[in-house]
Amino acid sequence: MITPVLEMRRIVKTFPGVKALNDVSFSVSRGEIHCLVGENGAGKSTLMKVLSGLYPHGSYSGEILLEGVPQQFRSISDSTRAGIAVIYQELALVPEMSIYENIFLGHEVRNGMSVDWNETIKRAAEMLRKVRLNINPATKVRDLGVGRQQLVEIAKALSKNVKLLILDEPTAALNEDDCANLFDLLRHLKDEGVTSILISHKLKEVIQIADAVTVLRDGQTVCTLNARSDEISEAVLIKQMVGREISNIYPPRERNHFDETILEIRDWSAYDTNLGRPVLKSVNLRVGKGEIVGIAGLMGSGRTEFARSIFGNPDHYELSGTLFLQGQEQTIRNPKQAISTGIAYATEDRKGNGLILIQDVKQNITIANLREIAKSGTVDANAEVKVATEFKDALNIKTPSVEQTVVNLSGGNQQKVSLAKWLFVKPKVLILDEPTRGIDVGAKYEIYCIMNDLVAEGMSIIMISSELPEILGMSDRIYVVSAGRITGELQAAEANQEIIMQMATS
Amino acid sequence: MIVKDLQKVFSANIREYGMYIALIVIMGIFQWMTGGLFLSSRNIANLFNQSGYVAVLAVGMTLVIVIRQIDLSVGFLAGFLGAIAAIMLVQWHIPVLLVIPMILALGVLAGLITAYPVAKMGIPSFVTSLAGWLIYRGLLLMVTGATGTIIIPDPVFNQIGNGFVPDLFASETFLPGLHKTTLVLGFIALVWFMISETISRRRKESYDFEVLPFYLFVMKLVSLSAIIAAISWIVSGYNGLSWTVVIVLLVVMAYQFLTTKTVLGRHIYAVGGNPEAAELSGISVSKITFLVFGSMGLMTALSGILFAARLKSAMPTAGTLFELDAIAASYIGGVSAAGGVGKVTGALLGTIVYMCLMNGLNLLNTDIALQYVIRGGVLVAAVIFDVTTRQARR
Ligand SMILES: Nc1ncnc2c1ncn2[C@@H]1O[C@H](COP(=O)(O)OP(=O)(O)OP(=O)(O)O)[C@@H](O)[C@H]1O
Ligand SMILES: [Mg+2]
């Protein structure tokens, strides 16, 4: 038998109050694409942090072997030297620097005392060719889309002679083209001898690309399936992940006509004075009471800009057009007013501008509506714990207590906290921007059920999503956005992926 | 088992306990080196009175740093406002009970002015408050230029910096030489402390939160009560509570309540923790910025009053380096430059540590040059300790 490239044996990692990894064993053969799946909080990211030395040797128990040799990584740089590179979902590039500076950041090409920029640029161009990114290496990273930034990250890893490439939810923020592109590249790298570990909640992708899949549940390895010998299907994976079968991905819902208009937007245009370009061009949109309106479109088409422009316009775009809430024309000057008139917006970027990571779960849940649990300006601590605990139970947020600091929660559970925060505001119109990004199948189903309950009670939801199946499965009506314009409006019944993609790229 | 429990509790609270231990160690060393002079009633009274004007600044500064800003203008602003108070009293003959609120209002106004470019235009507070530093220094020199030091003859005003709470229970026979009112207040504080700790423990238990093992809880109560009792005893040995201490305690209690219990306090920490998320949660970051700088201005005015009253005069150099003392005390007290972290009680404790150091070194007649070096060393040590213990807990 050939020795695996990587073997992790009996890894146990505990945090105060949480056993994140409980005796995990995990083995990866050379030159394969190995996917790691499991529910939110199953321990996938933690396992990779152990592997990369972010959690140093000694802070966990168990063994790590690379090509049969035991390793004791004390830091990321130790594992980098051993040929391991991790690409996190939050990309770690410096936006103000050029591509070539980023690629060689931390291991600059030297010429005596100084940096050899010519050589740097030459080598950077080479790396970009390897990741098949045809772009000037002097371009600033800020000016690239997420997909391309990810490729730059991979180029950076390749420049360090990576043998084992780890990608933690790389596709969560990618559109389908970028995704396909990334997978092509991974297959190509595989031929060149680079082994990859891929964490993803998108099971379709997993099936498509994996040579082997390891499933984690509650900090333990459930099984490892091999594409050659085992059946890998969505049903099988889901069953292994959650321990039971889930037949419907989308809970059934009745689709009615929604005649009572809650929100109406007419001739809505926005101009970004910082970038000096229009971001929205005369958008018209209507949301009925109790309706789920889906907004589809490619990354950068203006979906998020639209949401933010109606949610009090925190980016200070120059706006024109009118907004009616329950038939009343409203001028909303800031998010505070938006919230008090009944609009809420759960952002797509929960870490950047959604949550206060250094505060605990209960503080994050109540922050947008503290008055509700306050008497004459004083927060009622008991009421706060009660409210937070209710949401923790209702949304099944996995945390030892509501006093846990949010930064310590797994990605998916952070997303649920951010959702809880807006549900507590009880808005009339709830805008959800990528509500299920990074969320596992079971939790997705829970969130969809919650959405259905909310609209049944008369709330209206605008759901922005890059996942077309989700848009199709949940929306009553769909708007398609492209380049700041609405290029189509569809009833759920008449929509399908092709039509939407056509409109989104027109 | 006891050792293990202790270890666990200690490592979870090392940051907080570490500060108390540092304070006790510093006090112990000075007590020993000064041959008992340091903890004498007289010196402690002096130390507390000296700390007042720094403590109120540190309280204000802590909140400024919590929202990721800084205010360098407070030193000379305090000096300038002290001088204005002196001029109002001496030259314009305005009654003291009008002067004080007017000065406090001016302080708030000055804070709001510093905040304006920060909140409305996104200009770094380092710059606007540096400008304030220059401007108030100039203004201070201007108003004291003609006369030089202005002596303040007003006895009521000067009481604020030098006076003591009268003893309501004065008696020549019972505990002679001790300030009975102080003892009574100390006793009340002690009882209140025990009751509130017990209530909070009950509440935590009812939520099934982790609490200290019972015997450790008792140990904690006993040792902290002993400290309260000892402080009351020492303080009562020399005229008792001074008005400065009363003012500082009231300020700290008010701010402690504001920051830990109110909606406003939570908004302040939210802005510090993630300004963008706070804005999107319906909190006006610019409003909070104005508010925190306004409060800083208020504390600055109070500091100016305390200092002028203590010296019974306004001097052209008043306020020099106060801002840096306040910033140092805040950092020793555990505020984080990354924002969103820092306690008002920490600011008070930080001030006491810092002032103990100055006071003790003075008692020892340490060369002033060396004093600066030692203060710098302690500041760095405190912040390193803070950062490393915070990382260790992750
Ligand atoms: N620093 C930490 N302190 C305390 N608990 C932690 C810490 N990091 C992770 N955890 C806990 O460990 C568990 C595993 O988290 P991990 O991030 O590995 O999950 P995950 O499988 O990556 O989930 P997701 O799919 O949501 O990203 C979770 O319950 C999480 O709350
Ligand atoms: Mg994760």
Side-chain angles (χ1 to χ4, degrees):
Chain A
M1 214 191 120
I2 3 161
T3 38
V5 179
L6 167 72
E7 207 180 342
M8 299 179 81
R9 285 192 195 147
R10 323 209 54 165
I11 306 285
V12 177
K13 168 85 191 162
T14 45
F15 297 106
V18 194
K19 204 162 206 175
L21 298 175
N22 187 4
D23 201 17
V24 171
S25 296
F26 176 57
S27 143
V28 181
S29 321
R30 178 183 307 282
E32 70 178 2
I33 297 179
H34 196 120
C35 289
L36 197 54
V37 299
E39 288 182 288
N40 297 128
K44 306 176 295 290
S45 299
T46 306
L47 188 66
M48 293 302 108
K49 286 175 186 165
V50 164
L51 174 57
S52 67
L54 189 70
Y55 297 139
H57 179 79
S59 69
Y60 57 89
S61 72
E63 278 184 289
I64 299 177
L65 292 92
L66 271 189
E67 301 179 312
V69 186
Q71 306 285 340
Q72 307 192 338
F73 299 136
R74 248 170 249 106
S75 66
I76 304 246
S77 56
D78 283 358
S79 67
T80 311
R81 230 169 287 134
I84 297 177
V86 188
I87 295 171
Y88 296 101
Q89 192 185 326
E90 301 79 36
L91 299 171
L93 298 170
V94 186
E96 286 301 325
M97 286 189 178
S98 66
I99 294 179
Y100 66 82
E101 281 171 301
N102 266 293
I103 291 183
F104 287 95
L105 189 64
H107 60 129
E108 288 78 4
V109 188
R110 279 166 204 274
N111 176 5
M113 294 280 283
S114 60
V115 177
D116 186 340
W117 289 119
N118 293 332
E119 183 65 21
T120 304
I121 294 173
K122 197 178 126 215
R123 286 201 211 166
E126 215 171 283
M127 295 302 150
L128 290 181
R129 252 197 310 285
K130 277 198 186 168
V131 298
R132 290 179 286 179
L133 188 58
N134 186 10
I135 195 171
N136 182 353
T139 317
K140 278 192 179 169
V141 163
R142 194 189 53 193
D143 299 328
L144 303 178
V146 218
R148 290 178 156 189
Q149 290 193 12
Q150 212 143 38
L151 295 180
V152 172
E153 279 262 25
I154 296 177
K156 182 172 175 179
L158 293 179
S159 75
K160 297 181 196 165
N161 288 321
V162 64
K163 280 187 253 156
L164 184 59
L165 186 63
I166 300 168
L167 302 122
D168 195 347
E169 298 191 37
T171 56
L174 294 191
N175 62 32
E176 305 206 347
D177 281 351
D178 284 339
C179 218
N181 196 3
L182 176 71
F183 284 177
D184 266 0
L185 176 63
L186 290 185
R187 288 198 190 95
H188 172 74
L189 290 175
K190 175 165 105 175
D191 297 338
E192 304 213 325
V194 177
T195 312
S196 319
I197 300 175
L198 186 86
I199 299 179
S200 178
H201 286 292
K202 299 187 179 172
L203 300 180
K204 284 209 179 65
E205 290 172 11
V206 169
I207 294 161
Q208 188 191 333
I209 192 161
D211 297 311
V213 182
T214 294
V215 183
L216 292 187
R217 190 200 307 156
D218 294 332
Q220 292 184 311
T221 329
V222 179
C223 63
T224 297
L225 304 172
N226 201 306
R228 249 162 295 155
S229 51
D230 304 300
E231 185 209 339
I232 302 183
S233 68
E234 268 190 79
V236 171
L237 289 178
I238 291 175
K239 184 157 177 232
Q240 300 290 359
M241 279 168 63
V242 298
R244 63 193 149 87
E245 285 182 46
I246 292 184
S247 45
N248 280 332
I249 299 184
Y250 302 100
R253 65 186 248 97
E254 269 175 50
R255 294 205 165 86
N256 297 320
H257 277 284
F258 303 93
D259 300 325
E260 188 185 336
T261 301
I262 284 281
L263 178 73
E264 184 165 11
I265 283 154
R266 288 194 203 138
D267 224 5
W268 193 254
S269 300
Y271 184 84
D272 186 333
T273 45
N274 286 330
L275 297 180
R277 63 179 176 80
V279 287
L280 295 171
K281 294 167 205 153
S282 84
V283 169
N284 289 292
L285 176 141
R286 190 192 80 88
V287 181
K289 187 175 162 81
E291 188 177 31
I292 298 182
V293 170
I295 298 190
L298 302 177
M299 200 87 38
S301 58
R303 297 169 309 173
T304 295
E305 286 80 355
F306 169 71
R308 290 174 68 105
S309 72
I310 59 176
F311 183 67
N313 192 20
D315 309 294
H316 306 289
Y317 301 137
E318 275 168 19
L319 294 181
S320 66
T322 42
L323 183 154
F324 298 87
L325 199 71
Q326 289 178 310
Q328 297 255 331
E329 184 172 347
Q330 303 276 359
T331 317
I332 300 175
R333 290 200 183 76
N334 51 45
K336 186 178 173 175
Q337 269 184 15
I339 295 168
S340 58
T341 45
I343 303 178
Y345 168 63
T347 75
E348 57 177 341
D349 177 10
R350 56 181 175 249
K351 285 196 176 164
N353 55 29
L355 297 169
I356 301 168
L357 293 176
I358 56 169
Q359 295 191 351
D360 63 24
V361 171
K362 67 173 160 39
Q363 289 173 324
N364 271 284
I365 290 179
T366 54
I367 189 65
N369 195 15
L370 275 174
R371 308 253 169 232
E372 171 106 7
I373 49 162
K375 276 187 222 101
S376 54
T378 311
V379 179
D380 179 348
N382 295 340
E384 177 167 43
V385 173
K386 202 162 145 259
V387 164
T389 311
E390 276 166 21
F391 278 111
K392 171 181 178 262
D393 296 341
L395 300 184
N396 205 354
I397 300 173
K398 202 173 158 197
T399 170
S401 84
V402 293
E403 315 248 298
Q404 175 74 293
T405 313
V406 165
V407 74
N408 293 336
L409 262 53
S410 80
N413 285 300
Q414 290 179 349
Q415 180 68 11
K416 291 187 192 171
V417 171
S418 132
L419 195 61
K421 159 175 159 183
W422 291 112
L423 295 185
F424 183 46
V425 172
K426 300 180 209 78
K428 296 188 188 102
V429 180
L430 174 61
I431 309 172
L432 299 172
D433 200 347
E434 304 285 2
T436 62
R437 174 181 290 176
I439 286 199
D440 70 57
V441 271
K444 261 188 195 171
Y445 186 81
E446 287 164 21
I447 288 182
Y448 297 144
C449 289
I450 294 166
M451 287 170 65
N452 280 347
D453 290 348
L454 292 173
V455 289
E457 288 163 19
M459 193 186 281
S460 307
I461 293 180
I462 300 179
M463 180 177 68
I464 300 174
S465 174
S466 303
E467 285 188 53
L468 290 184
E470 172 173 281
I471 291 270
L472 292 167
M474 289 302 295
S475 317
D476 297 305
R477 209 150 42 84
I478 300 163
Y479 288 97
V480 185
V481 183
S482 168
R485 274 179 217 284
I486 291 202
T487 49
E489 180 188 344
L490 301 161
Q491 292 295 330
E494 56 185 7
N496 64 37
Q497 299 216 12
E498 287 76 55
I499 302 183
I500 293 181
M501 279 319 286
Q502 232 169 35
M503 290 174 161
T505 48
S506 66
Chain B
M1 187 195 99
I2 296 187
V3 177
K4 221 171 166 195
D5 277 351
L6 270 178
Q7 257 176 3
K8 191 173 152 211
V9 171
F10 194 77
S11 66
N13 296 298
I14 181 162
R15 148 92 239 159
E16 218 160 299
Y17 292 179
M19 181 111 68
Y20 288 102
I21 289 170
L23 185 59
I24 290 171
V25 169
I26 291 175
M27 286 180 151
I29 292 176
F30 282 133
Q31 176 74 351
W32 172 65
M33 288 181 75
T34 58
L37 204 60
F38 184 76
L39 282 182
S40 67
S41 295
R42 195 192 166 97
N43 189 53
I44 289 297
N46 189 26
L47 170 69
F48 281 173
N49 278 358
Q50 261 177 354
S51 307
Y53 63 88
V54 180
V56 291
L57 282 182
V59 167
M61 190 64 78
T62 294
L63 293 193
V64 172
I65 299 175
V66 161
I67 63 160
R68 307 182 177 196
Q69 306 289 355
I70 193 78
D71 191 343
L72 298 174
S73 69
V74 298
F76 286 118
L77 179 59
F80 172 62
L81 290 175
I84 296 291
I87 290 170
M88 284 176 165
L89 289 166
V90 177
Q91 295 173 9
W92 301 346
H93 305 290
I94 302 178
V96 64
L97 289 181
L98 276 179
V99 168
I100 291 173
M102 278 160 70
I103 294 294
L104 295 178
L106 279 179
V108 173
L109 182 68
L112 297 180
I113 292 174
T114 311
Y116 187 84
V118 181
K120 290 289 170 195
M121 291 171 255
I123 291 172
S125 52
F126 191 94
V127 177
T128 62
S129 68
L130 183 59
W133 188 95
L134 293 164
I135 291 168
Y136 296 127
R137 174 164 211 189
L139 292 177
L140 171 61
L141 290 176
M142 247 183 252
V143 295
T144 54
T147 48
T149 300
I150 307 169
I151 306 289
I152 304 174
D154 190 303
V156 177
F157 187 84
N158 291 340
Q159 277 278 314
I160 298 173
N162 299 288
F164 292 87
V165 177
D167 195 348
L168 298 173
F169 313 106
S171 153
E172 291 302 316
T173 49
F174 179 66
L175 294 177
L178 291 186
H179 192 270
K180 262 73 74 186
T181 309
T182 303
L183 286 178
V184 169
L185 287 175
F187 184 72
I188 293 173
L190 200 151
V191 171
W192 180 77
F193 165 75
M194 291 215 203
I195 293 175
S196 69
E197 281 289 302
T198 314
I199 291 177
S200 118
R201 181 186 167 88
R202 286 260 174 76
R203 182 172 301 154
K204 281 194 177 155
E205 275 174 340
S206 75
Y207 282 113
D208 276 341
F209 291 161
E210 209 176 336
V211 290
L212 289 179
F214 187 70
Y215 69 93
L216 277 184
F217 175 70
V218 173
M219 268 165 66
K220 180 183 164 192
L221 274 194
V222 169
S223 53
L224 286 177
S225 306
I227 291 177
I228 296 179
I231 292 176
S232 321
W233 187 263
I234 294 177
V235 169
S236 72
Y238 182 80
N239 291 341
L241 273 186
S242 64
W243 287 117
T244 303
V245 169
V246 172
I247 290 171
V248 170
L249 287 180
L250 288 178
V251 164
V252 169
M253 286 194 299
Y255 271 79
Q256 175 71 5
F257 176 77
L258 175 95
T259 52
T260 58
K261 303 272 188 247
T262 65
V263 172
L264 183 62
R266 294 287 285 279
H267 285 182
I268 292 174
Y269 284 85
V271 168
N274 186 344
E276 220 184 320
E279 183 80 41
L280 291 180
S281 304
I283 299 167
S284 164
V285 174
S286 84
K287 192 181 110 191
I288 296 290
T289 306
F290 274 119
L291 222 133
V292 168
F293 274 90
S295 113
M296 180 78 255
L298 180 70
M299 288 301 111
T300 307
L302 187 56
S303 170
I305 292 172
L306 286 172
F307 189 69
R310 184 165 164 75
L311 297 189
K312 302 180 185 162
S313 60
M315 296 191 304
T317 55
T320 312
L321 291 186
F322 283 14
E323 67 283 352
L324 297 187
D325 288 340
I327 293 169
S330 305
Y331 276 107
I332 293 175
V335 75
S336 153
V341 178
K343 288 188 192 164
V344 172
T345 46
L348 179 64
L349 209 57
T351 309
I352 294 178
V353 169
Y354 192 69
M355 296 308 282
C356 270
L357 211 61
M358 287 219 243
N359 176 289
L361 292 172
N362 272 332
L363 280 185
L364 291 172
N365 279 326
T366 314
D367 178 31
I368 188 81
L370 187 60
Q371 285 198 20
Y372 278 115
V373 175
I374 294 176
R375 270 152 67 185
V378 168
L379 172 61
V380 171
V383 175
I384 289 175
F385 175 76
D386 186 32
V387 170
T388 44
T389 50
R390 209 169 279 163
Q391 278 167 352
R393 252 188 301 153
R394 273 217 229 130

